[in-house]
Amino acid sequence: MRPLYLILLFIPGLATALAPPLSPRNANYRINVRLNTDTKRLDGKQTLTWRNTSPEVVRELQFHMYLNAFKDANSTFMRESGGQLRGEALDKSKPENFGWTNLTVLRDQRTGESLLGQSQYIQPDDQAAGTFNPDDRTVLRVRLGRPVAPGETVVLDMAFQAKLPKIFARTGFSKDFFLVGQWFPKIGVYEPAGMRGRRVGGWNCHQFHAHSEFYADYGTYDIAIITPAPFVIGATGQQIGETTHKDGTKTTRWQANDVIDFAWTASPYYSITTSRWQGKSGVPVAIRLLMQPEHSDQAQRHLDAAKAALSYFDTYLGRYPYPTLTIVDPPLRAMGAGGMEYPTFITAGTSWGLPAGMRFPEVVTVHEFGHQYFMQLLASNEFEEAWLDEGFNQYYEGRIMDETYGQGKSQIDWFGFRMGDLEASRDGYVHLDNPAIGPAYGNTWELPAGYYGALTYLKTATWLRTLDGLVGRAVMDEVMQTYFIRWRFKHPNAQSFIDVVNEVVPRRLGQKSGPDMNWFFDQVLFGDRVCDYQLVNLYNHDKSPATIRVDRLGDMQLPVEVLVHFEDGRETTLFWDGQERSRTFNAGRKGRVLWAQVDPYHKLYMDVNVINNSYTVSPSSAPSAKYAAKFLFWIENAMQWIAWLV
C-alpha cells in the first residue's frame, strides 16, 4: 500500500490544502475575477472570511482600496510622488492611464445586512498629521451592524469593479501585458492593545503613500481568474485547474495558503521555462519563469540566481515552506512593474543583450526573492518599519551576491569595471550629501524627502554589516536565525529584533559588548550619528614605544581596533571603545613602527571615510596608499559606468 502522502502528491493542490496551518489564517479570500483586456477593467466577486483574533470587540472594519491611489492627480500617493516612481512616470494628460476601484456589494452573511450604506472613505494618516486630503480614497471604513466578538468570524460577500492604471508603480497594464497587484478590497490588520506598543486597540490601515508598501494578515486564497484563452497566467501559489470556455476565454484557478497577499500577471507572449530546486528538507520547489521572448537567452541566469538565494536562505535562516516560486520578466515598456515582490511571486527585470558580467538580472532576482523571508514569512509593517524588510533584505542580497559571484565583483565584472554588492550599499550610504539626514526608523512617508531608499535600504544594510563585524559572522547568523524562527508568521517589529540581539550577543560574547546592545541601536537605528575615525599621526621614539593618535571625527561611538605593523614584521592590535574624541596609544613594545591602520578588518562598515584610516612612515608600503588607490579606481569605474548607462 502506498503511503498517503505519496498519493496526495499526485492530486494537485490537495496535499497543500490538507497540510497543517503555518500561520493564524485569519484573513481568507475566495475571489472570482474577470479581466477585460480591451477596457483594462476587472470585475470581481469575493468572499472574505475574517476572524477576530484579538481579545477586544471589533465594531468596524477597515479596507485598503489601493487602486484608488491612481484615481486622479489628487490622491495622497500622486501628490507625494508627483506621478512618478523609480524613474517611471504616468502621463496624466491621458485619462485612460488612471485607475480606480469601487465596491458595489458588501453584505454581512451573519445578518444578511448590506453594509455599503455604512461605509465611508477616511484619511487616518492625514488626520494624524494635522492635514486633510478628502480626495484620498485608499482606506474604506465599514461600520458593522453587529460587532465581531473575540474569537468570532465574520463572512462578507463583496463585489467590486476596478480599472487598472498604466503601469508606472508596480501594478497595471502596458498594451497587452498586465501585472495585477493591490487589486482587490483588502482588509487591514486589527492590532489589540499591547501589540507593537499600542496603548489602545485599533486598525492598522494606512493610506497608500508614494514610499510605502504593505502590511497584511495571513490567510488562504482561492482565486479564479478569467482571461482571453491565449493569455499565459502566472500568480501567487499553485495553479489547481484550468477550464476553456466557448466564448474564447479561460478560467485558471489558483490556491495559496499562509500568505499575506495575492498578485498575478497575464500576457500572450511569455516564454515559459520551468525548473526545480530541493533544499535540506527534501521538499521540492517548482520554479516557473515567465520571460519576454527576446530575453529568453537569460533564463538560466534568473534560475541560477533564484536557486542561489533559495539555498542561502535555507542554510542561514530557514526553510522556504511553499511548493512554488514564479518569476516574471516584464517587457521594457513596463519596467514600472519590475523589481517587486509578492508571496511566491516576484518580478525581476532585464534587457536584451545584457552581458554576463553585468549582473543586474541576478541582483534583482536575489533581492526580490529575499522578500519572501522578510516581507512574507515575517510580515513586518512596511508602512511603519520598512527597514525591517528592505534593509534586512538588502543586507542578505549583498551576502548572497558576494558569495555566489565573487566579493568585489558581484554586481559588475565587465572589461575591468568591478563593483561588489555590499560595497555598493555602503557606498550609497556613506556618499550621501548628508549621511546624518535622519534615522531609518519611522513611518516611511515621514522620512526626509528624497532619502527613503538611502535610509531604509542602504543605511540599514550598512549598519547590519557593521553589527555583523562587531559580533562576528557566527553570532550574527545565530541572531538572524533565532529572530526568523521565533517571529515567522507573527508580525515582528523593531523591539522584536532588538530583544533577540540582546539575548544572543551577551550569551555568546559575555560582557565584551556590554549587558545589551541598546547603545548600538540608539545610534544606528534610532539616531542620526555618523561614524568616522581618523588615524592622525604616528611617532617613533628612540627609547620608548611609538605612539599613535586616533581621532573620532564623527559623533557615533563604536569600539574600534588599531593594527600596528613593526619594522621587524610583527604586528599588534590595540583596542579603543571610541568614547572620547581622541586617543593616543602606546604601541606596546619598543621597535620602529612602519604603519598603523584603524579598523583593519573592516568591521565598521559605517565609517564614512576609509581613506583617513591609515598612517605610514614609509609611503611605498602604506596600507592607506593601497586602499586609496583601490577606492579611487572603484569610484572611477562606477562613475564611468553610470555615465555609460545615462
Side-chain angles (χ1 to χ4, degrees):
M1 180 177 180
R2 292 180 182 270
L4 178 60
Y5 77 88
L6 288 178
I7 297 173
L8 293 177
L9 289 176
F10 291 97
I11 305 177
L14 185 56
T16 301
L18 296 180
L22 300 175
S23 71
R25 295 188 181 180
N26 63 304
N28 305 297
Y29 296 83
R30 188 173 70 249
I31 307 177
N32 284 46
V33 62
R34 178 184 293 269
L35 169 65
N36 186 318
T37 56
D38 294 326
T39 63
K40 321 302 183 188
R41 288 183 58 164
L42 303 173
D43 286 285
K45 294 181 179 179
Q46 77 178 37
T47 299
L48 167 66
T49 303
W50 182 77
R51 187 175 76 257
N52 180 7
T53 58
S54 82
E56 302 165 359
V57 174
V58 174
R59 303 182 184 280
E60 67 176 44
L61 306 177
Q62 291 186 14
F63 290 88
H64 293 286
M65 304 291 280
Y66 284 121
L67 287 181
N68 282 338
F70 313 108
K71 190 174 188 296
D72 52 37
N74 298 318
S75 71
T76 296
F77 181 98
M78 295 293 283
R79 288 183 181 184
E80 291 177 352
S81 69
Q84 66 84 32
L85 193 70
R86 301 189 299 188
E88 298 290 323
L90 181 75
D91 184 350
K92 291 176 282 190
S93 68
K94 298 180 179 179
E96 64 270 22
N97 288 348
F98 288 96
W100 47 264
T101 188
N102 183 35
L103 196 59
T104 58
V105 173
L106 179 58
R107 181 170 288 105
D108 186 340
Q109 280 192 9
R110 299 174 302 172
T111 62
E113 178 186 13
S114 173
L115 301 176
L116 277 180
Q118 296 162 229
S119 64
Q120 66 176 131
Y121 287 103
I122 60 173
Q123 300 77 31
D125 301 332
D126 290 343
Q127 183 177 359
T131 61
F132 184 62
N133 178 14
D135 295 314
D136 190 83
R137 300 167 70 86
T138 57
V139 177
L140 184 71
R141 173 200 290 159
V142 179
R143 299 189 184 278
L144 295 170
R146 173 181 159 186
V148 188
E152 185 183 2
T153 294
V154 60
V155 180
L156 300 176
D157 292 323
M158 309 169 73
F160 63 94
Q161 296 177 331
K163 160 69 171 58
L164 294 172
K166 180 74 176 294
I167 286 178
F168 82 101
R170 308 182 183 95
T171 187
F173 72 90
S174 177
K175 296 183 179 179
D176 48 11
F177 169 83
F178 296 86
L179 196 290
V180 187
Q182 299 88 49
W183 56 282
F184 57 95
K186 186 176 181 183
I187 197 164
V189 177
Y190 188 84
E191 296 182 332
M195 181 178 178
R196 294 169 45 82
R198 272 186 174 271
R199 288 181 293 177
V200 296
W203 285 96
N204 195 302
C205 195
H206 291 289
Q207 295 164 241
F208 196 1
H209 294 273
H211 292 301
S212 69
E213 293 187 5
F214 314 106
Y215 178 44
D217 273 329
Y218 290 94
T220 63
Y221 287 76
D222 186 340
I223 312 293
I225 302 170
I226 303 171
T227 62
F231 277 65
V232 175
I233 311 301
T236 293
Q238 294 176 283
Q239 183 175 344
I240 58 173
E242 181 172 317
T243 305
T244 303
H245 308 295
K246 293 181 180 180
D247 63 356
T249 65
K250 68 178 179 183
T251 300
T252 57
R253 189 174 168 205
W254 302 80
Q255 184 179 71
N257 296 326
D258 303 301
V259 297
I260 60 170
D261 202 356
F262 188 97
W264 52 284
T265 185
S267 171
Y269 300 119
Y270 281 129
S271 171
I272 304 173
T273 302
T274 60
S275 188
R276 287 165 66 87
W277 173 87
Q278 189 166 301
K280 295 183 298 182
S281 66
V283 178
V285 175
I287 304 174
R288 188 168 183 244
L289 179 59
L290 305 180
M291 297 287 292
Q292 298 304 308
E294 63 271 22
H295 302 158
S296 58
D297 63 328
Q298 297 181 39
Q300 194 61 46
R301 295 174 60 177
H302 288 73
L303 291 174
D304 289 345
K307 291 178 182 180
L310 277 159
S311 297
Y312 200 91
F313 281 110
D314 186 53
T315 299
Y316 290 103
L317 281 188
R319 184 173 71 89
Y320 177 75
Y322 305 106
T324 62
L325 173 65
T326 298
I327 306 171
V328 177
D329 169 42
L332 191 60
R333 67 177 185 276
M335 285 308 292
M340 188 54 194
E341 70 279 358
Y342 297 95
T344 80
F345 176 96
I346 63 175
T347 65
T350 187
S351 61
W352 176 85
L354 197 65
M358 297 180 184
R359 298 193 180 97
F360 301 124
E362 290 85 351
V363 169
V364 178
T365 301
V366 167
H367 183 92
E368 301 310 328
F369 174 78
H371 284 296
Q372 299 303 310
Y373 281 76
F374 303 107
M375 171 276 299
Q376 161 56 28
L377 290 172
L378 290 170
S380 50
N381 188 331
E382 294 185 86
F383 288 98
E384 299 176 9
E385 296 181 299
W387 61 275
L388 272 174
D389 171 43
E390 299 293 0
F392 281 39
N393 195 31
Q394 188 77 10
Y395 163 72
Y396 272 98
E397 172 201 308
R399 285 181 53 166
I400 295 168
M401 288 296 297
D402 288 353
E403 182 167 309
T404 305
Y405 300 102
Q407 190 170 357
K409 59 179 182 179
S410 58
Q411 280 196 0
I412 303 172
D413 185 10
W414 186 65
F415 285 102
F417 297 99
R418 289 187 172 184
M419 181 183 297
D421 199 283
L422 269 174
E423 65 185 297
S425 291
R426 175 192 173 276
D427 185 66
Y429 161 65
V430 303
H431 289 101
L432 289 173
D433 55 358
N434 181 10
I437 188 66
Y441 184 83
N443 295 331
T444 57
W445 61 94
E446 295 175 340
L447 295 177
Y451 288 87
Y452 162 75
L455 294 174
T456 59
Y457 291 70
L458 307 182
K459 181 179 180 180
T460 304
T462 303
W463 69 248
L464 281 168
R465 174 60 179 80
T466 300
L467 178 63
D468 183 339
L470 290 173
V471 303
R473 177 58 57 89
V475 176
M476 186 69 175
D477 285 342
E478 183 176 342
V479 164
M480 297 305 298
Q481 191 169 70
T482 302
Y483 169 67
F484 173 74
I485 291 172
R486 182 173 299 172
W487 285 100
R488 55 191 168 186
F489 303 111
K490 294 179 183 176
H491 301 312
N493 62 5
Q495 196 59 49
S496 309
F497 179 69
I498 292 170
D499 287 345
V500 171
V501 174
N502 285 340
E503 170 192 327
V504 174
V505 173
R507 173 166 51 79
R508 290 292 302 274
L509 300 182
Q511 293 299 307
K512 181 179 177 181
S513 298
D516 57 49
M517 294 290 289
N518 291 342
W519 57 269
F520 179 79
F521 293 106
D522 287 344
Q523 298 181 88
V524 303
L525 174 60
F526 302 114
D528 56 7
R529 300 183 185 183
V530 170
C531 176
D532 186 11
Y533 287 100
Q534 178 182 22
L535 206 157
V536 180
N537 56 47
L538 186 166
Y539 291 114
N540 283 299
H541 305 284
D542 292 336
K543 298 181 180 181
S544 60
T547 53
I548 302 103
R549 176 183 159 190
V550 180
D551 285 357
R552 177 171 57 78
L553 303 183
D555 51 2
M556 185 176 290
Q557 300 169 327
L558 298 178
V560 67
E561 298 166 330
V562 181
L563 180 65
V564 181
H565 182 88
F566 292 87
E567 190 174 39
D568 60 10
R570 287 191 287 179
E571 293 182 340
T572 188
T573 302
L574 309 172
F575 300 90
W576 180 31
D577 62 11
Q579 296 300 303
E580 302 87 9
R581 275 291 181 180
S582 183
R583 175 74 178 271
T584 299
F585 295 87
N586 182 306
R589 57 179 286 264
K590 292 181 181 181
R592 181 175 173 79
V593 173
L594 294 184
W595 54 260
Q597 183 179 0
V598 172
D599 190 30
Y601 309 110
H602 311 295
K603 295 180 179 181
L604 305 186
Y605 233 56
M606 296 196 77
D607 193 328
V608 297
N609 182 7
V610 296
I611 302 301
N612 64 8
N613 284 13
S614 297
Y615 195 96
T616 183
V617 295
S618 177
S620 61
S621 61
S624 59
K626 178 182 73 171
Y627 285 104
K630 288 179 67 176
F631 184 75
L632 291 174
F633 178 69
W634 182 81
I635 289 294
E636 180 183 353
N637 286 344
M639 292 303 101
Q640 291 184 40
W641 169 245
I642 292 169
W644 184 86
L645 284 177
V646 174

